[in-house]
Amino acid sequence: GTYVGQNQQINKIRNCTNDSDNEYSRSWWNRPYRAIANANLAIANIPTIDEMEESAKNRCLGEAYALRAYNYFNLVRIFGAVPLILNPVDASSEELYPSQASVEEVYNQIVSDLQAAENSGLPWDDASGRVTMGVVKSLLAQVYMTMAGYPLQRGNEYYQLAASKSKEVIDNGTYSLFDSYDKLHDVAYENQGEHMFMIQYQAGVTANGWQYLYCPFNMDISAYSTETGSIYALQEFIDSYEEGDKRTEDHQFYYTSYTSNNDRSQVVTFPSHFIFKMFDVDAQENTAQSSLNWPLLRYADVLLLYAEAANEAEGAPSESAYNAVNQIRQRANLQPLAGLSQNQFREAVWKERYHELAFENKIWF
């Protein structure tokens, strides 16, 4: 939601009354194509660089293929049939005014790009935040899962592909859930553990520009001069969590009070739940310059993806599917799921996705 109705762009999307004037949806079109253009330049030109070692070429190409696939995956899920541009474009290019490709053609290219990335010798993790093998395999699992359902309806074979590809990531053992929700928004834990893929920020270079949006409207809890209250959780959403869910305790995923910027011994209480899971404490209290990265892919997402895909592929929840979702429930101080039918388990995993991945740009998909 948007707290005082000041952000009509969010409201238009939420109410499905979106139009071409909306800067949010326009940026979801422009920025992926800008990234795709960069990837196309890399894919076209890296093989021609004489002074570059083959292993370095392969890694950079793998990253470019993965980033092109990631951006087309977002475009095809949001807009459907889109132009499929795979080469650098200049003013003389035939593709300067491209035609639409079919949804199926776009998905086939996404799979092809991710398979090329998978075969490029990428490492399983990277402390600098670059594309890794774990990211590529997790994206492939997400793509197969989406292809299994609407609109392509590829069905059981693709649920199986999604389950096996996400299981490769789980079985590799590189990634694990953090033992504390605090680590989700601590710069000391970026690009490691649960954080598989992130947008990188650095104060003084390109700072995280989201922080003031997580503050309640003009309640002066922050070192930031602006507090918009633009992003908050509706009470009905908070109420949909199970009783005792640790994620809804104050200063876990959400917060309903904070100390005053004028006097940190004084507590200010808000009328709603604002977002704490991406809240940079040091920036908010001291610097008004945040280096906190934005999460694009967390290991929790992969666990839930595997649980859902395996349940669909096998017709019922297996022990390993239960284990995947129950790791997330255990961290939230909830009882493990058990004894569910295929349909009950499917809906339980959906609900877990809503609650675990809230406010991470996942729920629309």
Side-chain angles (χ1 to χ4, degrees), residues 42 86 106 137 166 186 202 247:
L86 303 175
V106 178
K137 289 181 182 290
S166 50
D186 184 337
Q202 181 61 55
R247 292 169 291 199

Side-chain angles (χ1 to χ4, degrees), residues 34 38-39 66 141 145 174-175 179 251 296 301 328 338-339 353:
R34 201 172 301 151
N38 289 339
M145 188 70 178
T174 299
Y175 312 103
D179 57 6
H251 292 74
L296 295 176
D301 193 349
I328 291 162
R353 290 189 73 84

Side-chain angles (χ1 to χ4, degrees), residues 3 26 34 95 100 141 193 211 219 271 304 320 330:
Y3 184 54
R26 191 156 59 237
R34 201 172 301 151
E95 288 184 298
Q100 288 179 328
Q211 288 299 315
M219 286 203 171
L304 291 167
S320 59
Q330 180 180 9

Side-chain angles (χ1 to χ4, degrees), residues 81 103 136 145 193 282 292 332 343 350:
V103 168
V136 171
M145 188 70 178
D282 184 51
L292 190 66
N343 194 53
W350 286 350

Side-chain angles (χ1 to χ4, degrees), residues 162-164 166-167 170 301-311 314 318 320-322 324 353:
S164 60
S166 50
K167 189 75 159 50
I170 294 168
D301 193 349
V302 179
L303 288 170
L304 291 167
L305 181 73
Y306 169 72
E308 184 178 357
N311 182 55
E314 297 165 18
S318 62
S320 59
Y322 274 119
R353 290 189 73 84

Side-chain angles (χ1 to χ4, degrees), residues 51-107:
E51 295 81 17
M52 196 173 184
E53 290 185 2
E54 284 303 308
S55 60
K57 282 187 182 182
N58 289 337
R59 175 166 184 176
C60 289
L61 283 168
E63 292 170 359
Y65 279 118
L67 290 168
R68 186 167 75 177
Y70 174 78
N71 282 283
Y72 271 123
F73 189 37
N74 283 335
L75 285 167
V76 75
R77 287 183 296 173
I78 295 170
F79 297 106
V82 295
L84 187 61
I85 300 166
L86 303 175
N87 300 294
V89 174
D90 59 27
S92 64
S93 299
E94 289 183 16
E95 288 184 298
L96 190 60
Y97 297 97
S99 56
Q100 288 179 328
S102 70
V103 168
E104 187 165 20
E105 286 173 317
V106 178
Y107 273 106

Side-chain angles (χ1 to χ4, degrees), residues 18-154:
N18 200 19
D19 57 37
S20 59
D21 291 332
N22 192 329
E23 184 58 39
Y24 282 15
S25 47
R26 191 156 59 237
S27 70
W28 274 96
W29 178 270
N30 289 340
R31 293 183 183 186
Y33 273 115
R34 201 172 301 151
I36 287 162
N38 289 339
N40 286 343
L41 282 168
I43 290 165
N45 291 306
I46 286 171
T48 69
I49 301 172
D50 293 332
E51 295 81 17
M52 196 173 184
E53 290 185 2
E54 284 303 308
S55 60
K57 282 187 182 182
N58 289 337
R59 175 166 184 176
C60 289
L61 283 168
E63 292 170 359
Y65 279 118
L67 290 168
R68 186 167 75 177
Y70 174 78
N71 282 283
Y72 271 123
F73 189 37
N74 283 335
L75 285 167
V76 75
R77 287 183 296 173
I78 295 170
F79 297 106
V82 295
L84 187 61
I85 300 166
L86 303 175
N87 300 294
V89 174
D90 59 27
S92 64
S93 299
E94 289 183 16
E95 288 184 298
L96 190 60
Y97 297 97
S99 56
Q100 288 179 328
S102 70
V103 168
E104 187 165 20
E105 286 173 317
V106 178
Y107 273 106
N108 288 343
Q109 185 63 48
I110 291 167
V111 170
S112 173
D113 279 358
L114 288 173
Q115 288 174 338
E118 196 177 19
N119 293 323
S120 66
L122 291 170
W124 271 90
D125 63 350
D126 183 283
S128 70
R130 292 167 68 167
V131 173
T132 65
M133 187 64 75
V135 171
V136 171
K137 289 181 182 290
S138 298
L139 284 174
L140 255 179
Q142 291 181 351
V143 171
Y144 288 144
M145 188 70 178
T146 309
M147 293 174 78
Y150 182 83
L152 296 183
Q153 306 283 17
R154 294 274 180 92

